[in-house]
Amino acid sequence: MGLPGSIRTCVVEKVIMIRDEIKKKVLKTLEDSFPSNDISEISETDLFREHLELDSFGLMNLVVSLSRKFSIPFNPMDIERMKNVESVIAIISEKLDQKSK
Protein backbone atom coordinates (compact mmCIF):
# COMPACT_ATOMS: atom_id res chain seq x y z
CA MET A 1 0.00 0.00 0.00
CA GLY A 2 1.30 3.47 -0.88
CA LEU A 3 1.62 6.53 1.26
CA PRO A 4 -1.49 8.56 2.14
CA GLY A 5 -2.05 11.51 -0.19
CA SER A 6 -0.89 14.25 2.18
CA ILE A 7 2.32 12.40 3.08
CA ARG A 8 3.01 11.60 -0.58
CA THR A 9 2.50 15.30 -1.44
CA CYS A 10 4.95 16.34 1.30
CA VAL A 11 7.56 13.85 0.05
CA VAL A 12 7.18 15.08 -3.55
CA GLU A 13 7.41 18.72 -2.44
CA LYS A 14 10.56 17.96 -0.41
CA VAL A 15 12.18 16.21 -3.39
CA ILE A 16 11.36 19.18 -5.64
CA MET A 17 12.72 21.60 -3.03
CA ILE A 18 15.94 19.62 -2.64
CA ARG A 19 16.34 19.44 -6.44
CA ASP A 20 15.86 23.22 -6.70
CA GLU A 21 18.47 23.80 -3.98
CA ILE A 22 20.93 21.53 -5.79
CA LYS A 23 20.25 23.33 -9.08
CA LYS A 24 20.89 26.75 -7.49
CA LYS A 25 24.20 25.55 -6.05
CA VAL A 26 25.24 23.96 -9.35
CA LEU A 27 24.46 27.15 -11.28
CA LYS A 28 26.29 29.26 -8.69
CA THR A 29 29.30 26.93 -8.97
CA LEU A 30 29.23 27.25 -12.77
CA GLU A 31 29.01 31.03 -12.47
CA ASP A 32 31.94 31.16 -10.04
CA SER A 33 34.04 28.69 -12.04
CA PHE A 34 33.42 30.26 -15.44
CA PRO A 35 32.84 33.99 -14.88
CA SER A 36 33.34 34.86 -18.54
CA ASN A 37 30.30 32.76 -19.53
CA ASP A 38 26.69 33.93 -19.17
CA ILE A 39 25.27 31.15 -17.00
CA SER A 40 21.82 32.78 -16.95
CA GLU A 41 21.44 31.71 -20.58
CA ILE A 42 22.17 28.01 -19.96
CA SER A 43 19.30 25.53 -19.83
CA GLU A 44 19.40 22.27 -17.90
CA THR A 45 19.91 20.33 -21.12
CA ASP A 46 22.56 22.52 -22.80
CA LEU A 47 25.75 20.53 -23.17
CA PHE A 48 28.69 21.96 -21.22
CA ARG A 49 31.13 21.18 -24.02
CA GLU A 50 29.10 23.18 -26.56
CA HIS A 51 27.47 25.94 -24.53
CA LEU A 52 30.35 26.67 -22.16
CA GLU A 53 33.10 25.39 -24.47
CA LEU A 54 34.16 23.26 -21.54
CA ASP A 55 37.19 21.05 -22.15
CA SER A 56 38.37 18.22 -19.90
CA PHE A 57 40.44 20.62 -17.76
CA GLY A 58 37.41 22.86 -17.25
CA LEU A 59 35.28 19.86 -16.38
CA MET A 60 37.82 18.75 -13.76
CA ASN A 61 37.77 22.26 -12.24
CA LEU A 62 33.98 22.06 -12.10
CA VAL A 63 34.11 18.60 -10.51
CA VAL A 64 36.53 19.79 -7.81
CA SER A 65 34.33 22.82 -7.07
CA LEU A 66 31.16 20.69 -6.91
CA SER A 67 32.89 18.13 -4.71
CA ARG A 68 33.85 20.87 -2.26
CA LYS A 69 30.48 22.60 -2.34
CA PHE A 70 28.47 19.42 -1.72
CA SER A 71 31.12 17.55 0.34
CA ILE A 72 30.85 14.48 -1.87
CA PRO A 73 33.41 12.61 -3.97
CA PHE A 74 32.90 11.86 -7.66
CA ASN A 75 34.28 8.79 -9.37
CA PRO A 76 35.36 8.60 -13.04
CA MET A 77 31.97 7.20 -14.10
CA ASP A 78 30.20 10.16 -12.46
CA ILE A 79 32.49 12.59 -14.24
CA GLU A 80 31.88 10.89 -17.58
CA ARG A 81 28.12 11.33 -17.06
CA MET A 82 28.42 15.08 -16.35
CA LYS A 83 27.23 16.45 -19.67
CA ASN A 84 24.86 19.23 -18.58
CA VAL A 85 23.15 20.78 -15.55
CA GLU A 86 20.43 18.12 -15.60
CA SER A 87 22.92 15.24 -15.38
CA VAL A 88 24.93 16.98 -12.64
CA ILE A 89 21.77 17.47 -10.56
CA ALA A 90 20.89 13.78 -10.99
CA ILE A 91 24.39 12.63 -10.00
CA ILE A 92 24.50 14.89 -6.94
CA SER A 93 21.00 13.81 -5.91
CA GLU A 94 22.07 10.15 -6.11
CA LYS A 95 25.24 10.84 -4.12
CA LEU A 96 23.41 12.77 -1.41
CA ASP A 97 20.76 10.05 -1.21
CA GLN A 98 23.47 7.39 -0.78
CA LYS A 99 25.23 9.55 1.81
CA SER A 100 22.05 9.89 3.90
CA LYS A 101 21.53 6.12 4.14
Side-chain angles (χ1 to χ4, degrees):
M1 182 172 196
L3 295 171
S6 61
I7 294 174
R8 186 175 41 247
T9 299
C10 288
V11 169
V12 169
E13 287 174 358
K14 183 168 176 89
V15 168
I16 290 170
M17 183 177 67
I18 291 169
R19 186 186 189 287
D20 287 345
E21 290 172 11
I22 292 170
K23 180 180 177 181
K24 285 178 189 172
K25 287 183 178 183
V26 168
L27 291 174
K28 178 68 173 140
T29 302
L30 283 168
E31 187 178 292
D32 293 346
S33 299
F34 307 101
S36 61
N37 292 34
D38 187 3
I39 302 305
S40 66
E41 304 264 330
I42 194 170
S43 77
E44 285 191 26
T45 56
D46 285 338
L47 298 176
F48 292 147
R49 188 170 299 278
E50 293 173 10
H51 190 78
L52 299 177
E53 298 178 7
L54 198 62
D55 59 11
S56 49
F57 180 73
L59 180 60
M60 288 310 299
N61 283 336
L62 176 61
V63 168
V64 169
S65 296
L66 290 170
S67 183
R68 287 181 181 150
K69 183 160 288 212
F70 290 95
S71 300
I72 52 176
F74 296 102
N75 63 46
M77 289 178 66
D78 296 328
I79 297 167
E80 190 174 308
R81 291 175 45 210
M82 291 183 178
K83 305 289 184 203
N84 54 29
V85 172
E86 183 177 55
S87 63
V88 171
I89 293 170
I91 292 164
I92 291 171
S93 295
E94 292 167 14
K95 295 280 188 184
L96 292 175
D97 188 47
Q98 290 170 359
K99 190 176 177 181
S100 70
K101 290 184 180 180

